[in-house]
Amino acid sequence: MMSSDASLCYDPDMPPGELQSDVLFREGLTRGGHVTYTPRLITLDLKGSLRTLKQEGSLYSTGQEPSTITWEGQIMTHKESPPAKNSFLQDLDKLDKGGLLVEPDFNTPSVPATHSPGGMVAMDTVNSNLERVHKFYKMEGSVMVWSDFLRLHLHPRTVSVINQYNHEGEAARLEAFSQGETLLQGSVLEDLEDRLHFFVEECDYLQGFQVLCDLADGFSGLGSKVTELLQDSYGGRGILTWGVAPVNHPDSSPIKELYHMMNFALGTVNLANHSSFFCPLTLRGSLGRRPSPSTVFPLVNYDSSLWYHSSSILALALDSMTVSYRLRYNSAPMWQLADALTVSGRKVVCAYGSVPFPIMQGTCLPDALSACGDVLPWKPLSACPELADGRCFGQSVTLKGLDRQRLVSPLAPGIQPSSTLHCARTGEEVLDTYIRSHYPSAPLVVQLVSTPSKLTPPFPQMFSSLLDPQGLIQRHPPTTGKWNSAGPAAVLAAPVLTSVQSSSAVGQMLAELQKACVSVEMRRSAPSFLCQGLEAGDLAENLEQLRVLAYHYRDDSGGTLRSSSEEEDDDDVD
């Protein structure tokens, strides 16, 4: 949400944007009659994970604490001090109360207030306030949970806390797949169904569900049961599931890494079974116990040990990858995107991203793509290195953040174009031509959106000093250092290029994960994993399903596309 809500616009006087905010956000009214815009979101988290965030939120509170004390005898009260809020959350409280973050600069031109047709002043949002003051935050040492950098208000029906397990400490941890599987019953199930019905029933058109699930711990099992529930209750709707995994965990150990690997495998099989497609999202080099180095981006200097950094990069990429079903015009529903990418049972897809997309000031998209040469500009976002063999079963490519003037070459009449890309007349044609030069026979869908990916505070400033505030490479970069922290030239937006694809590289990744799992004797190495309710036979069956799933991605066609019927004839696995 850090990226999607930055572009959120609900000013009645603004012209409609390229993206339809109502896909992810809903309008409501507080008890005081104030209009709110909150995400269509249900989040399940553990006891102690909210820190300063109230579970019911603060938009709809009356400001009065109800009295429930009926005991007339002596009462002893034990009060625990609440966690301290970081500087960003303190500033949000000021904005909520109508305060200023900085002293006004009367030498700076102000934006006049606009009025709606009914005479009401258009909404002044948190995002617009944060953008206006240009205040940046160094939060690397203060972020402990996701709510520490949450920029927007949540609906009271959004947050559900699972009190059986703790977010921190050594006791009562949700560590294994089977623990999560057994959670979705009784009161937990009833609570989730109640929240689902609330959000679903107010939809004019239900495309489907976007599920983000931690893949490394017991949430992989809980997520599997949630997607199974969605599949049973809302059959025919799109269920796009993204399995998120950090690069590393604090206080890790060989046993915990073994747990993570098994959760990766079990989660992948079951989430894929119950979803329209499943895509791992991680900057890890692989999903095994000893992964290769994490993904490196040429223009980003992120700390892979900080989830605050890695999740920010993945949020930028996800904001781009989900554009196709959020477009205001000519959008493709969720199920259509999934159907295009999951032919012949290949329900696991992989993601790649160029964050930010490298383009220099004063140049155009053909120039930037030509400068990449034979190497594609994107990097793995699914622990699935690209094979670069020109084979792909299908992909959806999105470029976000370049204005229309930059999409084609501005050649003057009589000047010979330097490449075929410079001959193209539309940005879609440029990108299509470039991708097909690397994947000649693969089905391809391209989307271009000029709306930039805004990096509104508290997005971490971890970008190269080569970039200007709009995320473009400067022609005359500063000589004061390679990496940019908060300052006058901080990066405020970035162009992003992403690809979601189905290819034989996915099969290779799944096969390596399956081989690593079957090579471990769990009864001897980690018997506690099997003590959580998972039988050895069930584990073996899931790993066999993973092997069969990997087999579906083999490609012995020599780069020639085969029909679904041809592939199904070969689907018998020894």
Side-chain angles (χ1 to χ4, degrees):
M1 285 193 301
M2 178 184 283
S3 182
S4 295
D5 78 276
S7 300
L8 177 61
C9 178
Y10 45 98
D11 186 336
D13 290 332
M14 292 291 289
E18 296 172 286
L19 299 179
Q20 175 63 271
S21 296
D22 287 341
V23 175
L24 298 180
F25 294 86
R26 59 178 294 281
E27 186 176 297
L29 285 175
T30 66
R31 289 186 177 93
H34 299 292
V35 177
T36 64
Y37 221 45
T38 54
R40 304 181 189 273
L41 171 69
I42 300 172
T43 176
L44 304 176
D45 215 330
L46 306 179
K47 182 180 179 182
S49 64
L50 302 184
R51 283 178 52 79
T52 61
L53 179 68
K54 293 181 180 180
Q55 182 176 347
E56 69 281 1
S58 58
L59 280 180
Y60 297 85
S61 62
T62 61
Q64 300 177 350
E65 293 294 334
S67 176
T68 58
I69 299 176
T70 58
W71 174 254
E72 296 181 358
Q74 187 176 5
I75 297 174
M76 181 179 292
T77 302
H78 298 271
K79 189 173 183 179
E80 183 180 3
S81 298
K85 292 188 175 183
N86 59 43
S87 59
F88 170 69
L89 295 180
Q90 292 174 24
D91 282 350
L92 287 188
D93 288 343
K94 293 179 184 177
L95 289 176
D96 280 343
K97 297 173 182 177
L100 297 175
L101 300 189
V102 294
E103 292 299 321
D105 182 359
F106 296 104
N107 295 318
T108 302
S110 60
V111 179
T114 57
H115 294 74
S116 64
M120 296 181 62
V121 177
M123 295 181 185
D124 197 16
T125 67
V126 168
N127 287 339
S128 63
N129 275 298
L130 290 171
E131 291 168 5
R132 186 185 306 120
V133 299
H134 293 293
K135 183 174 181 179
F136 300 96
Y137 302 85
K138 293 287 291 182
M139 298 176 57
E140 282 72 10
S142 63
V143 169
M144 300 179 66
V145 294
W146 56 272
S147 59
D148 285 337
F149 53 84
L150 182 65
R151 192 168 43 223
L152 43 66
H153 286 291
L154 302 178
H155 191 274
R157 291 180 180 262
T158 284
V159 179
S160 178
V161 175
I162 300 169
N163 289 303
Q164 294 96 312
Y165 294 99
N166 294 322
H167 173 71
E168 295 179 315
E170 292 297 324
R173 299 302 301 272
L174 187 62
E175 296 179 320
F177 178 88
S178 55
Q179 289 176 292
E181 265 197 319
T182 58
L183 263 180
L184 201 63
Q185 56 184 320
S187 60
V188 176
L189 175 59
E190 292 174 4
D191 179 71
L192 176 60
E193 288 180 328
D194 180 60
R195 294 171 189 271
L196 271 173
H197 292 158
F198 172 80
F199 285 107
V200 167
E201 288 172 1
E202 67 175 11
C203 291
D204 295 328
Y205 167 57
L206 179 64
Q207 280 198 55
F209 303 87
Q210 185 168 272
V211 181
L212 276 81
C213 174
D214 193 331
L215 200 59
D217 54 23
F219 277 105
S220 59
L222 177 59
S224 298
K225 284 299 182 181
V226 169
T227 52
E228 183 178 3
L229 170 67
L230 295 176
Q231 186 182 53
D232 293 341
S233 303
Y234 303 96
R237 308 294 184 180
I239 304 173
L240 307 188
T241 303
W242 311 85
V244 183
V247 175
N248 49 44
H249 288 77
D251 304 321
S252 190
S253 67
I255 291 298
K256 289 182 179 179
E257 289 299 323
L258 180 56
Y259 267 56
H260 297 157
M261 182 178 72
M262 289 296 176
N263 290 329
F264 291 152
L266 294 170
T268 297
V269 169
N270 288 274
L271 289 167
N273 284 341
H274 302 136
S275 304
S276 304
F277 76 47
F278 169 73
C279 180
L281 274 186
T282 181
L283 301 182
R284 292 170 61 100
S286 72
L287 297 181
R289 281 190 289 172
R290 289 175 287 275
S292 51
S294 58
T295 303
V296 175
F297 299 91
L299 297 172
V300 179
N301 182 34
Y302 75 100
D303 185 342
S304 62
S305 67
L306 296 178
W307 297 6
Y308 171 51
H309 278 193
S310 57
S311 65
S312 299
I313 295 173
L314 295 177
L316 274 182
L318 185 63
D319 183 51
S320 172
M321 291 185 288
T322 58
V323 155
S324 62
Y325 50 87
R326 295 191 290 125
L327 289 171
R328 187 174 297 274
Y329 307 109
N330 301 318
S331 65
M334 288 179 169
W335 62 264
Q336 187 171 323
L337 173 64
D339 284 355
L341 295 174
T342 58
V343 177
S344 302
R346 305 184 189 100
K347 294 180 72 175
V348 180
V349 298
C350 58
Y352 301 90
S354 178
V355 183
F357 176 66
I359 181 168
M360 184 172 288
Q361 295 172 337
T363 63
C364 59
L365 178 60
D367 294 332
L369 294 175
S370 298
C372 296
D374 295 331
V375 180
L376 286 159
W378 51 55
K379 303 294 181 181
L381 300 176
S382 298
C384 188
E386 208 163 14
L387 299 181
D389 58 1
R391 303 183 185 185
C392 181
F393 305 117
Q395 67 176 314
S396 172
V397 176
T398 302
L399 176 61
K400 190 172 186 287
L402 292 187
D403 55 60
R404 294 294 174 185
Q405 291 80 3
R406 294 184 180 276
L407 295 180
V408 296
S409 177
L411 290 177
I415 296 180
Q416 183 70 24
S418 58
S419 72
T420 55
L421 298 179
H422 291 80
C423 299
R425 296 184 177 182
T426 66
E428 287 81 3
E429 185 180 348
V430 172
L431 194 54
D432 185 277
T433 301
Y434 175 76
I435 299 299
R436 291 193 185 282
S437 69
H438 291 270
Y439 295 97
S441 58
L444 171 66
V445 176
V446 298
Q447 295 96 198
L448 279 79
V449 177
S450 61
T451 304
S453 296
K454 294 184 179 180
L455 309 182
T456 305
F459 199 98
Q461 285 296 317
M462 51 189 176
F463 298 95
S464 168
S465 60
L466 298 175
L467 300 179
D468 70 4
Q470 298 307 310
L472 307 179
I473 300 174
Q474 301 178 67
R475 283 190 173 276
H476 305 288
T479 58
T480 55
K482 186 177 181 182
W483 301 111
N484 191 6
S485 58
V491 181
L492 306 177
V496 176
L497 175 68
T498 56
S499 169
V500 183
Q501 59 179 250
S502 174
S503 71
S504 53
V506 176
Q508 181 174 306
M509 180 264 289
L510 296 177
E512 291 174 356
L513 178 60
Q514 191 268 347
K515 289 177 182 177
C517 289
V518 298
S519 67
V520 178
E521 177 52 60
M522 292 299 291
R523 285 195 183 96
R524 180 179 306 167
S525 301
S528 57
F529 190 83
L530 297 175
C531 293
Q532 307 291 346
L534 181 70
E535 299 290 340
D538 295 332
L539 176 60
E541 181 180 345
N542 276 275
L543 294 180
E544 175 61 18
Q545 289 184 42
L546 185 61
R547 185 181 76 87
V548 173
L549 183 59
Y551 182 79
H552 286 163
Y553 292 83
R554 78 199 189 286
D555 183 8
D556 52 9
S557 62
T560 303
L561 288 177
R562 304 162 68 193
S563 68
S564 299
S565 59
E566 288 177 320
E567 292 174 345
E568 287 167 1
D569 290 341
D570 294 337
D571 272 350
D572 294 331
V573 183
D574 294 334

